[in-house]
Amino acid sequence: MLSKSKIRKNDTVEVIAGKDKGKRGEVVRVILKKDAVIVSGVNIVKKAMKKRSAQDQGGIAEIEAPLNISNVAIVCKKCGPTRIGYKIDGDKKIRVCRKCGEIL
């Protein structure tokens, strides 16, 4: 079952569990099928890359691996890492900080 994610592309998030706990970065991609996110500069892994053409460089590359969405928390500008709530503003549903109520 696919779940609609509360975290979206370009959100600033903080890692709350795992080897990169405490690091912050921007969400590059959300993978809904796996309930995962790729965060810039976080969860860097080494991957062996095959040489594809004469100009292409092969060897070992460092890439950002997906993190489970439960291991990241969105960062509010006022109060830091927080959970997300929703408010109905007219006919729009907007995301708000659970701690201070500011729009995210």
Side-chain angles (χ1 to χ4, degrees):
M1 182 74 193
L2 292 178
S3 63
K4 181 83 170 109
S5 175
K6 292 182 178 186
I7 295 174
R8 299 182 190 149
K9 187 177 176 179
N10 298 327
D11 282 344
T12 303
V13 293
E14 183 173 314
V15 180
I16 56 173
K19 68 174 186 177
D20 290 324
K21 183 177 178 177
K23 286 188 181 178
R24 289 185 182 190
E26 202 169 274
V27 175
V28 177
R29 193 167 146 221
V30 178
I31 307 163
L32 285 175
K33 287 185 179 179
K34 291 184 178 180
D35 278 335
V37 289
I38 296 176
V39 183
S40 63
V42 177
N43 201 22
I44 303 291
V45 294
K46 292 182 187 278
K47 183 178 179 184
M49 302 293 274
K50 205 172 206 177
K51 192 174 180 182
R52 301 236 182 255
S53 65
Q55 295 86 17
D56 188 28
Q57 199 76 10
I60 297 168
E62 291 188 345
I63 61 160
E64 294 144 350
L67 284 166
N68 193 294
I69 213 156
S70 65
N71 293 340
V72 295
I74 195 158
V75 176
C76 175
K77 290 175 185 75
K78 276 188 184 174
C79 48
T82 185
R83 297 199 316 266
I84 300 172
Y86 288 101
K87 275 188 184 172
I88 307 298
D89 185 33
D91 56 345
K92 282 186 181 176
K93 187 176 175 183
I94 55 171
R95 298 181 305 161
V96 294
C97 171
R98 284 270 182 93
K99 289 181 184 175
C100 64
E102 190 175 300
I103 296 170
L104 297 171

